[in-house]
Amino acid sequence: MKNQIRPLCLSFWSPPTVRPQAILIGKMIPEWIAQSIEPVILTYANQGDWDIKAPIYKIEQFKLNRIMNRIPPLRAYFRYRYQQKLVKTIARIIKKHDINIVFSFANPQESNLIGALVKEKIGVPFISHFSDPWYDNPCVTMSPWRAKRVLKQETKIIKNSDAVVFINNNMRDIIMKKYPREWAGKSAVIHHSFAPTDYPLSSKQITTNKDKNKFIFSYVGVFYKERNPEIIFQALQRIIQKDGHLASKINFQIVGCDGGYTDFPIDAVKTLIEKYKLENIVSLIPRVDYHESLRYMQLADCLILIDVRYKQSYCLPSKLIDYAGSGSAILGIANQNSPVADFLRKLGDQSFTYDQIDGLSLHIRELITGENKINKNIGFLNQFNVTSTTQQLLGLFTKMLSKK
C-alpha cells in the first residue's frame, strides 16, 4: 500500500528556515522518501530553497497593509479571497500529481485551515496535525472576539479532518474535550521525533572534543517570561556560595536566545546574569543553524529544558526530543504531572518543579562532582526515532485511504 500513498504536505514553515516546525518537517520528509513515499510540498515563498528530492510549490503569505489590517470586515474579505485562490491552486496540484491524501502540518494554523477548505471543496482525505493547542493555548491571550473566531476555525479544522494528529495525550485531551464525543475517534497521537543521522559528531568525536576541565550545561533556544532561566541561575548561585571552588568547573552555555521574537529578549537574560553574579559562568552564544545546535547538544554534559509553569501542562517540545537523541544528560524544570516530567522519568533523567529549588541545587551539584550518573532507557527512546514515528504516520495514511 505504501507506493499507493501520494501525499500533499501543507507545511508553510519549512527548511532552511530555523523554526521548530521547519526543523520537524525537515526530519519527516526525508524519512517519508526513505520509506518509498513521494510527497509533494506546499510552503511559503519566503522559506528559502530546500534541497529535497520532492516537488515544492511556493505560495505568498497572506499580508495586508497596516491600515487595511485594522478593519476587520476588510481583513476578513481579503483573507477569504486569498484562501479561495489558494484552494484553486491546490486543486491543480492535486490533479497534476494524482494526490490522494492531504496532510497539513501546523504551526502556522493557516496550513490546517487551508487543508480543511480543500477537504470541503475537493473531498480528498485530509489529516491535520497540531503541535500546539490553538484555542486552548495558555501562552496566548486573546480578546473575546478573537477567541470566538479561533474556536470557530479550530472546529472547522477538526470537523473536516478524517484524522487529527496530536503530539501527546495531554494535548489531545485538552483540545478534544470540548468537541462531540464521536469526534474522539478521529484523534491519534504521534510523537515528535529525532533523526540519528542529523547529529554531526560520532561517539569518538564527542569524546575528543569535550572540554574535560569544565562541566558544560547547555540550553538551546529562546526564553519566554513564563519559562526563563532564573531558577537555574538561582540554583547555580546557591551551589557557588556553598562550594566556591566549583565555580571554576562550571560553564553554562545559552545558545540562540537572541532570536528577537519573544517576550524575554537577550537583554533580560543579561540582567539576570548580573543579578545572580554569574558573568564568569554563563556564556551567551549567538543563534546557530539546526545542525550546529545539535553539535552543542552532543558536547554538553547536561542539557537544560524549562517548561511553562501552568497547572495543566500540555507541551512536549520538539527540542526535548532532539536533546534526548544527542545522548547527553537532561535536566528539566516542569510540573510533575506534565508530559515533560513524564518523558524525562521514563528516559532516565530528572526534572524538578519550580518549588524544588533545594532538590534542584543538590542534583546539579552531584552532576558536577560526578556523584550522580544517568542511565538512559534506550528502549523508551527508540519510539521517538523518526523511522518509528514515520511508520506510525504512514500507517494512519493507509488507514484513511482504505476508508475512501
Side-chain angles (χ1 to χ4, degrees):
M1 186 70 180
K2 280 187 179 181
N3 61 358
Q4 297 177 28
I5 302 173
R6 298 181 298 277
L8 172 64
C9 179
L10 309 180
S11 181
F12 293 167
W13 291 337
S14 62
T17 293
V18 182
R19 297 191 69 139
Q21 294 305 114
I23 291 168
L24 283 164
I25 206 67
K27 302 172 198 173
M28 293 166 63
I29 295 297
E31 185 60 31
W32 290 15
I33 295 170
Q35 296 194 30
S36 302
I37 302 299
E38 298 178 357
V40 177
I41 302 158
L42 188 73
T43 192
Y44 285 146
N46 62 1
Q47 299 299 284
D49 294 324
W50 184 7
D51 183 17
I52 188 76
K53 293 179 180 178
I56 299 178
Y57 291 85
K58 296 189 175 183
I59 58 169
E60 294 300 326
Q61 192 168 353
F62 176 74
K63 288 181 180 178
L64 287 176
N65 64 48
R66 189 176 301 176
I67 295 174
M68 294 178 71
N69 198 47
R70 290 176 178 174
I71 305 172
L74 276 179
R75 184 171 65 240
Y77 170 72
F78 283 107
R79 182 174 284 279
Y80 171 80
R81 285 186 57 183
Y82 168 82
Q83 291 176 342
Q84 294 304 307
K85 181 179 178 182
L86 190 48
V87 169
K88 289 179 181 179
T89 298
I90 292 172
R92 291 192 292 269
I93 294 171
I94 288 173
K95 184 177 181 180
K96 178 179 178 180
H97 294 276
D98 195 22
I99 297 295
N100 59 8
I101 196 161
V102 172
F103 176 68
S104 63
F105 195 66
N107 287 321
Q109 285 292 343
E110 187 162 45
S111 61
N112 279 339
L113 281 170
I114 297 301
L117 287 173
V118 170
K119 170 67 178 183
E120 206 169 60
K121 300 290 185 181
I122 304 172
V124 65
F126 165 53
I127 297 177
S128 56
H129 183 283
F130 284 77
S131 284
D132 295 289
W134 193 14
Y135 174 76
D136 304 283
N137 195 331
C139 298
V140 178
T141 302
M142 300 186 215
S143 67
W145 177 84
R146 174 166 167 73
K148 183 178 179 179
R149 183 167 64 90
V150 165
L151 178 58
K152 183 179 179 180
Q153 291 173 325
E154 184 187 278
T155 302
K156 184 184 187 74
I157 292 166
I158 295 177
K159 181 180 179 181
N160 286 345
S161 297
D162 294 281
V164 188
V165 175
F166 301 101
I167 59 167
N168 61 64
N169 288 305
N170 288 42
M171 187 181 298
R172 174 170 63 178
D173 294 345
I174 288 170
I175 292 175
M176 294 301 292
K177 68 182 180 182
K178 61 184 180 293
Y179 292 114
R181 187 172 297 176
E182 57 267 25
W183 289 11
K186 298 181 177 188
S187 64
V189 172
I190 300 177
H191 299 297
H192 285 321
S193 61
F194 70 95
T197 56
D198 280 347
Y199 295 88
L201 300 179
S202 66
S203 298
K204 184 177 180 180
Q205 288 172 322
I206 293 170
T207 302
T208 302
N209 286 278
K210 270 196 173 182
D211 185 346
K212 298 175 179 60
N213 297 314
K214 295 277 188 179
F215 191 95
I216 307 295
F217 293 94
S218 290
Y219 177 95
V220 179
V222 297
F223 295 108
Y224 293 86
K225 285 182 181 178
E226 296 298 335
R227 48 181 178 91
N228 67 66
E230 184 161 22
I231 186 170
I232 301 295
F233 290 175
Q234 289 172 345
L236 289 174
Q237 185 187 59
R238 284 191 181 198
I239 292 166
I240 293 165
Q241 287 175 341
K242 186 174 182 179
D243 299 292
H245 69 284
L246 290 180
S248 63
K249 297 183 178 182
I250 305 170
N251 183 7
F252 183 14
Q253 299 178 335
I254 298 176
V255 183
C257 74
D258 56 340
Y261 58 86
T262 77
D263 57 4
F264 204 85
I266 190 170
D267 287 345
V269 179
K270 291 177 179 178
T271 298
L272 284 182
I273 293 171
E274 293 173 5
K275 176 181 177 181
Y276 291 98
K277 298 178 174 59
L278 298 174
E279 293 91 341
N280 295 326
I281 288 176
V282 179
S283 304
L284 296 178
I285 297 168
R287 198 175 189 187
V288 298
D289 67 28
Y290 174 61
H291 287 92
E292 180 67 3
S293 76
L294 295 181
R295 190 182 74 85
Y296 276 103
M297 293 179 197
Q298 288 184 288
L299 292 177
D301 294 291
C302 181
L303 295 161
I304 305 294
L305 192 288
I306 304 171
D307 196 15
V308 292
R309 198 172 184 171
Y310 298 107
K311 290 181 180 179
Q312 191 175 27
S313 298
Y314 65 87
C315 191
L316 187 61
S318 57
K319 177 171 67 181
L320 178 56
I321 312 305
D322 281 336
Y323 275 10
S326 74
S328 299
I330 306 171
L331 171 60
I333 307 299
N335 293 338
Q336 287 305 310
N337 63 346
S338 67
V340 166
D342 182 62
F343 177 89
L344 290 176
R345 279 193 297 267
K346 290 176 179 176
L347 184 60
D349 287 291
Q350 291 278 347
S351 72
F352 296 85
T353 70
Y354 283 85
D355 299 321
Q356 294 178 314
I357 185 69
D358 292 336
L360 172 64
S361 300
L362 177 62
H363 180 72
I364 291 176
R365 183 188 181 282
E366 290 178 346
L367 285 173
I368 297 166
T369 60
E371 298 170 67
N372 195 329
K373 301 293 183 182
I374 303 297
N375 295 310
K376 299 284 189 176
N377 182 344
I378 302 302
F380 171 75
L381 178 61
N382 284 341
Q383 66 183 299
F384 296 86
N385 188 307
V386 70
T387 300
S388 176
T389 58
T390 296
Q391 288 171 353
Q392 294 175 57
L393 182 60
L394 299 186
L396 186 60
F397 286 0
T398 301
K399 181 179 177 182
M400 294 302 103
L401 288 173
S402 69
K403 292 181 177 181
K404 188 177 178 182

